[in-house]
């Protein structure tokens, strides 16, 4: 029947042989899109198999597409929800992959019905039905709730919410022969769920029995914005195989264990997804950790590299296991003394009161440090302002996870966060928390509300904290800067910097550097056309190793340790630091005026503006790549002589920045502020949608603000803009900088 069906089903839904899912899914597929930042999907055990893979750090790979059979049915899992977006499906062979997946996943039910027809598809939280119907499909969209699945052959979903009753219904549907295609962004789900454990990701819970789960790791494409679907996944991309290769079962010689870094990466990903009640792999790993982990060292001088996959896997499992222990069971990790640092045993453990403003979201610095493996107790009034799900307690400020890195200079995950549980009882609320690595203690407000709450903290040690306008400089000099906590913070209402305490102990008065920081933050706000007063302070945290780049944006902005002095010494900050300002620029970017190819460009407008207005540098300077105007002009002319290819412009941030600097030189910063303010005030229905509109609006709005027709200028640079956009500014006088005439 399947052979007959393969010949007869409507053309695009050709059904491939069932025994080889990868062969069926990749028929006619060579490259697929890489929407956004795709996440990893892992094949945990047979019959799941990786289908399409991408790159991680070093030589390691991870899957972005995994397929499996489950009962009589079939499952395909994709590593980004964007794979079900019509715009993505039109890129490369991505649409062909979806068509193949629908045909393969729906073949069992179509075959059982003896029908010669496309599989009937139900889409949930995606627009894939629009695209499928345009390609001779038979697809409809579900409403807000999961409907009855009778009369459906394949479910295509991007929904992450799948409560137990839904999971039970969907599991029954697949096991009885239905097809299921799910697209999820694991790291994205985790981010919007407050760093939640990936084991609580409901689609992963559903597919655990099928041997599939989503991870919080990223996967990079092998080609520019494309995954090479022709690359054959190695056997070690499946967790059970990697475990046996890394830790051979009893009876096999240990000498046969692999040193292939891929095995370590796969096992590290899989161990963080093992359910708490797993008795197969946990028992095996518990014994290995007990026997071998104490000898594993990790430091900047002696990093744990990918060529030691077994040790990396054991560290991963130990960290994952420790996070699930009750506070009284937590022990200090011996690697904590190296980083984030040891707390002197003689340092007094104190009791302190702190008042938390619940209207300010984010981390609230307490000036307290939890020693590794020691319990900290927090108490606050019951029935007060803290409501369920509104606040958490966090130990540690180094939130970057380094599991994907080819080399570890510290344990990859050292920050612990727990919700402030609220009961219905009378009296005080109380919780205990302990981290094997220790760290600064924070109360984190996740859902702002009115009022404030007083929290008592017991068992921590004091850490250096100076708050501009609140901390007495005399008290700072006499006591606070010598507090025993190994990490310190300088804070204003606009920015907070976190550095090793050794960098602040000789600073007599932090006010000058903090006043300078406030000027930096106000300059960024002014350029972005936003209020100077902020809902929460931005944050910088120095780390021995970070997850990406030399620095990266976010909350907090992460830097390496060599930037610590630049953040706390006024003279160093005043001399300018392009990197620190660049990352703060990222935090002020708006997607409306940052189209593809300019993410690493428009943030540098803030570097330029702060360097000029706060640090007093000459206009359009502050970085070696822009300081020499003649070199910039020569680079621009070389680009023009090559025909101004847009792809080259997009791939060279400082080449693209030259275009923005020409506009600034001709029309000034006030024009930028005017345009940014205009964008900020746009109603939702007037905001640009898609790349073409983003480029068009940027050209048109800047032209109107400058009073000049910038159409020829954009054309000269090779930035694609539409004829309609050019016609809309044809009434303005044309402009071209002298060096481009």
């Amino acid at each position: 029947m399947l052979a007959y069906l393969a010949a007869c089903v409507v053309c695009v839904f050709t059904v491939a042989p069932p025994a080889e899912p990868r062969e069926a899914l990749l028929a006619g597929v060579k490259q697929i899109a890489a929407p956004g930042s795709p996440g990893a999907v892992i094949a945990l055990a047979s019959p799941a198999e990786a289908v399409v893979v991408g790159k991680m750090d070093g030589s390691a790979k991870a899957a972005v597409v995994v397929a499996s059979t489950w009962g009589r049915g079939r499952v395909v899992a994709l590593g980004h929800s964007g794979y079900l977006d019509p715009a993505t499906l039109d890129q490369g062979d991505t649409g062909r992959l979806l068509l193949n997946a629908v045909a393969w996943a729906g073949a069992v039910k179509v075959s059982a019905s003896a029908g010669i027809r496309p599989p009937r598809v139900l889409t949930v939280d995606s627009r894939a039905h629009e695209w499928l119907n345009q390609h001779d499909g038979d697809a409809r969209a579900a409403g807000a709730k999961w409907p009855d699945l009778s009369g459906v052959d394949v479910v295509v979903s991007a929904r992450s919410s799948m409560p137990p009753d839904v999971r039970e219904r969907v599991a029954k549907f697949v096991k009885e022969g239905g097809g299921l295609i799910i697209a999820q962004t694991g790291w994205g789900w985790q981010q919007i769920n407050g760093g939640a454990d990936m084991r609580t990701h409901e689609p992963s819970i559903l597919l655990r029995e099928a041997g599939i789960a989503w991870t919080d790791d990223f996967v990079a494409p092998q080609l520019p914005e494309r995954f090479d679907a022709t690359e054959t996944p190695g056997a070690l991309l499946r967790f059970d195989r990697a475990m046996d290769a890394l830790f051979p079962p009893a009876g096999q010689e240990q000498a046969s264990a692999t040193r292939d870094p891929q095995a370590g990466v796969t096992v590290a990903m899989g161990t963080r997804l093992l359910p708490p009640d797993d008795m197969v792999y946990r028992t095996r790993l518990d014994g290995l950790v007990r026997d071998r982990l104490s000898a594993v060292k990790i430091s900047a001088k002696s990093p744990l590299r990918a060529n030691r996959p077994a040790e990396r896997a054991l560290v991963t499992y130990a960290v994952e296991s420790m996070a699930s222990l009750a506070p009284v069971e937590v022990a200090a990790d011996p690697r904590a003394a190296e980083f984030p640092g040891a707390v002197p045993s003689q340092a007094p453990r104190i009791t302190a009161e702190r008042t938390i403003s619940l209207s300010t979201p984010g981390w609230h610095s307490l000036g307290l440090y939890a020693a590794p493996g020691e319990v900290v107790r927090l108490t606050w009034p019951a029935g007060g302002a803290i409501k369920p799900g509104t606040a958490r307690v966090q130990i540690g400020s180094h939130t970057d996870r380094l599991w994907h890195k080819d080399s570890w200079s510290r344990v990859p995950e050292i920050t612990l966060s727990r919700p402030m549980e609220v009961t219905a009882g009378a009296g005080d609320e109380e919780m205990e928390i302990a981290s094997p690595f220790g760290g600064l203690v924070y109360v984190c407000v996740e859902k702002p509300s009115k009022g404030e709450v007083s929290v008592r903290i017991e068992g921590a040690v004091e850490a250096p904290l100076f708050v501009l306008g609140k901390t007495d400089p005399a008290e700072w000099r006499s006591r606070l800067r010598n507090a025993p906590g190994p990490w310190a913070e300088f804070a204003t209402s606009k920015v907070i910097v976190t550095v090793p305490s050794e960098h602040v102990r000789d600073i007599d008065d932090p006010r000058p550097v903090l006043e300078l920081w406030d000027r930096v933050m106000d300059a960024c706000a002014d350029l972005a056309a936003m209020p100077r007063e902020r809902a929460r302070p931005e944050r910088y945290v120095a780390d021995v190793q970070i997850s990406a780049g030399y620095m990266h944006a976010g909350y907090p902005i992460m830097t390496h340790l060599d930037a610590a002095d630049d953040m706390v010494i006024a003279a160093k900050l005043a001399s300018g630091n392009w990197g620190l300002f660049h990352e703060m620029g990222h935090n002020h970017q708006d997607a409306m005026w940052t189209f593809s190819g300019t993410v690493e460009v428009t943030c540098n407008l803030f570097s330029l503006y702060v360097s000029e207005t706060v640090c007093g540098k000459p206009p359009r300077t502050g970085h070696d790549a822009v300081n020499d105007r003649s070199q910039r002009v020569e680079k621009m002319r070389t680009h023009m002589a090559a025909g101004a290819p847009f792809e080259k412009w997009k791939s060279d941030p400082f080449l693209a920045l030259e275009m923005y600097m020409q506009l600034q030189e001709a029309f000034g910063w006030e024009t930028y502020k005017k345009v940014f303010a205009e964008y900020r005030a746009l109603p939702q229905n007037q905001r640009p949608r898609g790349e073409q509109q983003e480029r068009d609006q940027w050209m048109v709005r800047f032209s109107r603000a400058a009073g000049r027709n910038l159409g020829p200028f954009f054309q000269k640079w090779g930035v694609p803009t539409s004829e309609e956009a050019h016609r809309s500014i044809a009434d303005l006088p044309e402009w071209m900088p002298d060096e481009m005439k």
Side-chain angles (χ1 to χ4, degrees):
M1 173 61 75
L2 284 172
Y4 172 76
L5 191 64
C8 299
V9 172
V10 177
C11 60
V12 295
F13 283 99
T14 301
V15 178
E20 297 292 341
R22 186 167 185 272
E23 179 182 340
L25 293 172
L26 297 184
V29 176
K30 293 184 177 180
Q31 298 178 11
I32 66 169
S37 297
V41 192
I42 187 170
L44 295 169
S46 178
E49 294 287 352
V51 175
V52 179
V53 300
K55 301 185 298 182
M56 301 182 77
D57 267 27
S59 61
K61 309 288 183 182
V64 72
V65 182
V66 171
S68 183
T69 56
W70 189 14
R72 295 178 53 238
R74 299 171 180 180
V75 179
V76 179
L78 302 107
H80 198 286
S81 56
Y83 277 116
L84 301 183
D85 187 271
T88 303
L89 291 167
D90 285 332
Q91 297 177 28
D93 303 316
T94 314
R96 168 58 61 183
L97 173 66
L98 179 62
L99 297 175
N100 290 348
V102 168
W104 178 75
V108 176
K109 284 217 165 189
V110 171
S111 182
S113 71
I116 302 173
R117 57 173 175 77
R120 294 164 299 191
V121 178
L122 177 74
T123 65
V124 183
D125 271 6
S126 87
R127 293 166 52 214
H129 62 283
E130 301 173 6
W131 191 91
L132 288 168
N133 288 331
Q134 292 172 3
H135 292 75
D136 298 325
D138 179 5
R140 61 184 175 87
K145 296 183 178 180
W146 281 85
D148 179 15
L149 299 180
S150 60
V152 175
D153 302 316
V154 180
V155 174
V156 176
S157 173
R159 183 173 295 179
S160 61
S161 175
M162 299 182 72
D165 62 317
V166 171
R167 296 201 299 270
E168 184 177 345
R169 289 169 51 207
V170 175
K172 183 175 184 292
F173 166 78
V174 177
K175 289 178 180 179
E176 291 179 352
L180 179 62
I181 300 169
I182 302 185
Q184 291 283 290
T185 314
W187 65 264
W189 173 87
Q190 186 180 66
Q191 192 174 70
I192 64 176
N193 285 278
D197 190 329
M198 286 303 300
R199 290 174 299 181
T200 65
H201 178 241
E202 291 172 350
S204 293
I205 295 173
L206 168 70
L207 296 187
R208 190 176 291 151
E209 191 177 327
I212 296 175
W214 282 264
T215 83
D216 58 7
D217 298 283
F218 295 86
V219 187
Q222 304 95 323
L223 307 169
E225 300 181 357
R226 295 282 192 279
F227 286 98
D228 180 1
T230 67
E231 181 175 345
T232 303
L236 295 179
L237 265 78
R238 200 172 77 191
F239 174 73
D240 58 348
R241 292 181 184 139
M243 271 290 297
D244 287 345
L246 207 57
F247 307 111
Q252 297 184 24
E253 292 296 326
Q254 186 61 37
S256 67
T258 184
R259 293 185 67 84
D260 188 335
Q262 182 62 60
V265 170
T266 302
V267 170
M269 287 194 292
T271 55
R272 289 184 287 131
L273 299 169
L274 290 175
D277 59 355
D278 171 75
M279 297 302 293
V280 177
Y281 293 107
R282 286 192 179 277
T283 301
R284 194 163 153 195
L285 287 164
D286 284 339
L288 290 163
V289 165
R290 185 172 53 250
D291 295 340
R292 298 166 55 179
L293 186 63
S294 61
V296 179
K297 310 298 182 186
I298 306 178
S299 69
K301 293 181 179 179
S302 181
L304 185 55
R305 303 186 190 279
N307 60 2
R308 296 166 61 193
E311 290 94 327
R312 284 166 65 102
L314 294 180
V315 168
T316 304
Y317 178 71
V319 171
E320 183 274 332
S321 300
M322 195 72 71
S324 62
L325 295 179
V328 294
E329 298 175 311
V330 174
D333 189 290
R335 287 154 287 272
E338 185 68 36
F339 194 92
V343 172
S345 58
Q346 70 275 18
R349 275 57 173 170
I350 65 172
T351 297
E353 298 274 348
R354 297 289 187 266
T355 299
I356 307 299
S357 169
L358 297 175
S359 62
T360 303
W363 307 356
H364 289 250
S365 298
L366 308 181
L368 298 170
Y369 197 94
E374 295 188 15
V375 174
V376 172
R377 180 178 294 105
L378 295 95
T379 311
W380 64 95
I386 294 182
K387 301 296 188 293
T390 63
R392 302 176 70 86
V393 176
Q394 177 174 302
I395 294 180
S397 42
H398 301 93
T399 52
D400 267 10
R401 294 180 172 98
L402 310 178
W403 302 112
H404 63 289
K405 304 296 285 186
D406 198 42
S407 179
W408 296 344
S409 294
R410 65 161 168 84
V411 174
E413 189 169 349
I414 59 175
T415 299
L416 181 70
S417 177
R418 293 288 182 266
M420 295 181 76
E421 301 288 358
V422 178
T423 67
D428 287 341
E429 302 282 6
E430 183 178 285
M431 70 174 288
E432 293 184 337
I433 186 170
S435 163
F437 301 98
L440 288 167
V441 183
Y442 302 94
V443 170
C444 306
V445 175
E446 295 187 304
K447 296 180 180 178
S449 60
K450 295 180 180 179
E452 56 187 31
V453 64
S454 179
V455 180
R456 184 170 71 250
I457 305 98
E458 303 172 68
V461 302
E462 196 167 28
L465 171 64
F466 190 100
V467 181
L468 184 66
K470 294 184 179 180
T471 305
D472 180 358
E475 185 182 16
W476 168 260
R477 285 189 293 273
S478 64
R479 187 179 66 82
L480 287 176
R481 66 178 172 179
N482 294 312
W487 284 80
E489 294 190 313
F490 283 0
T492 82
S493 63
K494 300 172 182 180
V495 66
I496 300 172
V497 299
T498 306
V499 300
S501 295
E502 63 196 54
H503 289 267
V504 307
R505 301 218 189 269
D506 293 332
I507 297 177
D508 291 331
D509 188 352
R511 288 177 298 180
V513 73
L514 290 175
E515 290 165 355
L516 184 58
W517 266 119
D518 271 358
R519 290 176 56 204
V520 170
M521 301 307 296
D522 287 347
C524 291
D526 292 347
L527 181 57
M530 60 180 280
R532 285 185 169 187
E533 295 306 315
R534 298 168 181 269
R536 69 178 183 191
E538 298 283 356
R539 282 183 174 271
Y540 287 90
V541 174
D543 198 339
V544 69
Q545 185 181 12
I546 65 176
S547 61
Y550 174 61
M551 300 180 183
H552 71 72
Y555 182 86
I557 293 170
M558 298 300 302
T559 80
H560 283 87
L561 292 174
D562 60 359
D565 281 345
D566 286 26
M567 293 192 287
V568 297
I569 297 175
K572 287 182 174 291
L573 182 62
S575 68
N577 186 303
W578 185 277
L580 295 176
F581 306 152
H582 169 102
E583 301 306 340
M584 190 58 71
H586 276 304
N587 282 11
H588 288 76
Q589 278 176 321
D590 194 309
M592 289 188 290
W593 41 261
T594 301
F595 50 85
S596 177
T598 66
V599 172
E600 294 299 329
V601 180
T602 61
C603 60
N604 281 331
L605 293 171
F606 294 86
S607 299
L608 290 165
Y609 186 72
V610 172
S611 295
E612 178 183 336
T613 62
V614 178
C615 300
K617 292 186 176 294
R620 294 167 295 283
T621 64
H623 190 285
D624 288 345
V626 300
N627 289 340
D628 189 323
R629 181 188 175 97
S630 63
Q631 288 184 1
R632 291 183 356 231
V633 171
E634 181 61 29
K635 183 176 183 178
M636 177 196 68
R637 288 176 174 165
T638 300
H639 177 65
M640 299 296 174
F646 185 51
E647 290 302 316
K648 169 61 177 173
W649 185 91
K650 288 171 62 176
S651 66
D652 187 337
F654 284 105
L655 174 64
L657 183 61
E658 180 63 26
M659 180 178 179
Y660 288 80
M661 288 194 292
Q662 288 176 316
L663 294 174
Q664 190 278 324
E665 183 174 23
F667 305 112
W669 288 118
E670 292 307 312
T671 304
Y672 271 100
K673 294 176 186 179
K674 181 179 179 180
V675 175
F676 291 159
E678 183 179 316
Y679 273 105
R680 189 171 289 278
L682 282 181
Q684 193 69 35
N685 62 356
Q686 293 182 28
R687 296 183 175 188
R689 296 183 62 184
E691 291 290 310
Q692 189 64 59
Q693 287 189 20
E694 288 168 3
R695 293 192 297 266
D696 283 355
Q697 284 203 26
W698 177 245
M699 181 184 73
V700 171
R701 294 185 187 283
F702 208 102
S703 292
R704 291 292 178 193
R708 295 290 187 273
N709 180 351
L710 301 179
F713 175 67
F714 273 66
Q715 287 177 321
K716 189 91 168 181
W717 270 106
V719 177
T721 43
S722 70
E723 288 299 321
E724 181 183 1
H726 283 267
R727 286 194 297 270
S728 72
I729 54 175
D731 58 313
L732 298 173
E734 293 185 3
W735 173 84
M736 189 73 68
D738 290 340
E739 62 265 26
M740 292 176 64
K741 290 178 181 177

